[in-house]
């Protein structure tokens, strides 16, 4: 995993990529946001958010780590 890519876990299964982008965008420019799905197209409860730089990813992690989201 690259240093500018964050692993987000314990997400509600109803979370969308757009909602994650809205949450993370204030902390830096996002290049990729992905929520893996199973064979039935159901979210697996985790995601990856990739930023332009490691500094932006670190800023997002410091601001949002251990915070509640949709829960």
């Amino acid at each position: 995993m690259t240093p500018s890519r964050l692993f987000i876990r314990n997400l509600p299964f109803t979370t969308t990529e757009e909602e994650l982008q809205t949450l993370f965008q204030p902390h830096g420019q996002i290049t990729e946001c992905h929520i893996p799905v199973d064979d039935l197209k159901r979210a697996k409860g985790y995601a990856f958010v990739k930023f332009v730089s490691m500094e932006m990813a670190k800023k997002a992690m410091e601001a949002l780590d251990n915070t509640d989201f949709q829960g």
Side-chain angles (χ1 to χ4, degrees):
M1 192 174 318
T2 62
S4 63
R5 187 175 183 205
L6 299 179
F7 173 70
I8 317 302
R9 62 188 178 116
N10 296 327
L11 291 173
F13 296 112
T14 57
T15 301
T16 66
E17 291 177 358
E18 292 78 20
E19 291 169 332
L20 280 180
Q21 287 181 347
T22 299
L23 177 67
F24 282 90
Q25 219 158 20
H27 305 287
Q29 185 178 351
I30 297 170
T31 60
E32 180 184 339
C33 182
H34 177 65
I35 298 176
V37 295
D38 64 16
D39 293 338
L40 298 174
K41 306 291 185 213
R42 296 179 300 199
K44 291 187 173 184
Y46 64 91
F48 300 96
V49 177
K50 186 174 181 182
F51 288 87
V52 170
S53 69
M54 184 173 61
E55 291 77 22
M56 290 178 188
K58 183 177 179 185
K59 180 181 170 187
M61 184 175 67
E62 289 171 351
L64 297 171
D65 192 27
N66 291 316
T67 61
D68 287 332
F69 175 67
Q70 296 182 343

